[in-house]
Amino acid sequence: MSAIDPDSAFTFFAQGALIQEFKVAGQNIVQSFPEARFYKTHNDAYLGETIGRTTNRVKGAKLENLNGQSYQLAANDGANPNSLHGGARGWGKQDFEGPKPVNRNGREGVQFRYVSKDGEENYPGTVECLVWYTAGLENDKVVLEVEYQVELVGDECDETVVGVTNHSYFHVNPDAPTTEGTVVTLGTDKYLELDPHQVPTGNIASFPSIPPAGVSFTLGPANPAIDDCFVIDTAAPTSCPLDTRNLPMHHLATISHPDTGLRLEIQSTEPAFQFYTGDGLYIPEAETDKGVKIPSRGKRSGIAIEPSRYVDCAGRGEWRGMCRLRKGELWGAKSVYRAWKE
């Protein structure tokens, strides 16, 4: 990849090793705040954050039969009795070390590091998380590679559970208030069916309100409304390695908008991804140090596409192999985001 120009730039903040800016043809395609401080006071929506120590939901906010005991987690999933995105103050709310300039696999990038202590959000074991971002141009496309690695570095226990993803909200028609008119193509139509509390039942089915995999559909003002985990690898509970970085990339999703010509394609080594049309999204207004008012943003003002393992794999015994981390092992994942203007 070649170096990027100012119209195709990235900005990362230390809190949550988050993505604040993803510019394509001079337009930022992620929802963001202009100053780092707002991410500490206005970011209940997890904009751009690195999510951990686990992703998505843990059923009943409880881990059973881990290190021979149970762990009660924060129940922070609104009306549902689950733990969400690593708890009340998950990794997205923590300050990472970085960005540190690095050369990663022959490419220039930045590294962030966070050490999550034993007992943080009541998860067992001290772990080290490394996040690498490498960016450049490839065939006139802006490319961002994101790589995660987690290691159990403490001696407090024999095992823990981990999962890491990015929670950016993408908007490829950035000047519009909503994503209406966005054209979506998913790499699968299989998803994890949910119970009334938004955790998987264990069944995998075809999603009822979208066309088959590879067939495009367009987001309207209110439909389809999606907040579900789509499955790329239906055999993942028995075949997914703890470190997926050496697996082939899978196409998760492509989004584009005819009014801007902007297009984003996401690939990952992960076996699943959450696709959320942002129907509950609310980003409060803010005012910069210079008195510039940032208006609030409401529902369907961004689309979250979160590469991951299966939802509740940390809490579900038969799926836990995807996220159980022991001493001497590495948890890893890699995703690639390609964006361009047609």
Side-chain angles (χ1 to χ4, degrees):
M1 288 191 294
S2 60
I4 58 178
D5 59 52
D7 283 340
S8 305
F10 295 91
T11 306
F12 310 103
F13 285 166
Q15 182 191 317
L18 64 83
I19 301 172
Q20 187 262 347
E21 192 173 50
F22 186 152
K23 289 179 70 175
V24 183
Q27 294 184 280
N28 188 12
I29 64 169
V30 294
Q31 289 288 10
S32 64
F33 291 108
E35 297 173 4
R37 63 187 177 95
F38 294 125
Y39 288 91
K40 295 187 179 297
T41 58
H42 289 59
N43 199 22
D44 290 345
Y46 307 94
L47 300 185
E49 293 180 356
T50 299
I51 301 298
R53 171 177 308 200
T54 54
T55 61
N56 218 303
R57 293 171 171 88
V58 178
K59 182 178 181 178
K62 197 170 187 179
L63 299 171
E64 303 275 11
N65 300 316
L66 187 66
N67 297 302
Q69 62 184 91
S70 298
Y71 298 86
Q72 186 64 50
L73 308 175
N76 64 320
D77 189 21
N80 296 309
N82 311 310
S83 190
L84 178 67
H85 295 332
R89 286 189 55 81
W91 291 357
K93 308 302 182 189
Q94 307 297 331
D95 288 333
F96 283 58
E97 298 173 15
K100 174 185 175 182
V102 294
N103 187 293
R104 184 72 179 164
N105 301 321
R107 296 171 177 170
E108 297 302 313
V110 294
Q111 175 187 289
F112 290 89
R113 176 179 180 267
Y114 180 65
V115 176
S116 177
K117 297 293 187 180
D118 174 55
E120 182 180 83
E121 290 294 329
N122 212 34
Y123 283 94
T126 298
V127 300
E128 177 192 61
C129 174
L130 297 177
V131 180
W132 291 279
Y133 293 116
T134 57
L137 289 175
E138 185 179 90
N139 299 322
D140 296 322
K141 298 177 181 179
V142 183
V143 181
L144 177 67
E145 293 189 1
V146 183
E147 184 180 350
Y148 303 114
Q149 178 178 292
V150 184
E151 183 177 6
L152 179 61
V153 295
D155 296 319
E156 303 91 354
C157 61
D158 295 326
E159 59 183 3
T160 190
V161 288
V162 296
V164 189
T165 191
N166 180 268
H167 205 290
S168 290
Y169 282 92
F170 298 101
H171 193 359
V172 289
N173 188 17
D175 293 332
T178 74
T179 58
E180 182 180 355
T182 298
V183 179
V184 178
T185 308
L186 299 183
T188 179
D189 61 352
K190 303 300 181 186
Y191 83 113
L192 298 176
E193 290 186 328
L194 300 177
D195 70 12
H197 296 299
Q198 299 298 301
V199 291
T201 64
N203 295 325
I204 297 176
S206 295
F207 197 82
S209 61
I210 63 170
V215 179
S216 299
F217 59 94
T218 301
L219 298 184
N223 290 297
I226 304 172
D227 187 9
D228 290 274
C229 183
F230 286 81
V231 177
I232 296 291
D233 183 1
T234 58
T238 57
S239 66
C240 179
L242 190 63
D243 188 345
T244 66
R245 287 176 291 179
N246 289 325
L247 296 181
M249 286 283 173
H250 304 288
H251 172 249
L252 305 188
T254 300
I255 61 173
S256 62
H257 202 287
D259 289 352
T260 62
L262 294 174
R263 179 179 290 265
L264 171 69
E265 174 189 84
I266 301 176
Q267 296 180 310
S268 182
T269 60
E270 292 288 76
F273 63 98
Q274 188 80 6
F275 187 87
Y276 177 39
T277 48
D279 296 85
L281 178 59
Y282 175 70
I283 306 167
E285 65 179 7
E287 185 174 336
T288 70
D289 290 336
K290 296 181 178 180
V292 178
K293 293 186 182 297
I294 310 300
S296 64
R297 287 151 282 179
K299 64 180 183 180
R300 297 176 79 89
S301 58
I303 303 165
I305 304 167
E306 308 157 48
S308 67
R309 313 291 155 97
Y310 288 13
V311 175
D312 193 36
C313 64
R316 196 179 187 98
E318 66 268 31
W319 292 354
R320 187 172 285 170
M322 288 189 274
C323 66
R324 181 193 288 115
L325 179 64
R326 298 186 173 99
K327 291 285 287 187
E329 299 177 330
L330 293 176
W331 183 99
K334 184 185 293 185
S335 298
V336 176
Y337 302 78
R338 289 184 176 87
W340 65 97
K341 187 178 178 67
E342 296 182 319

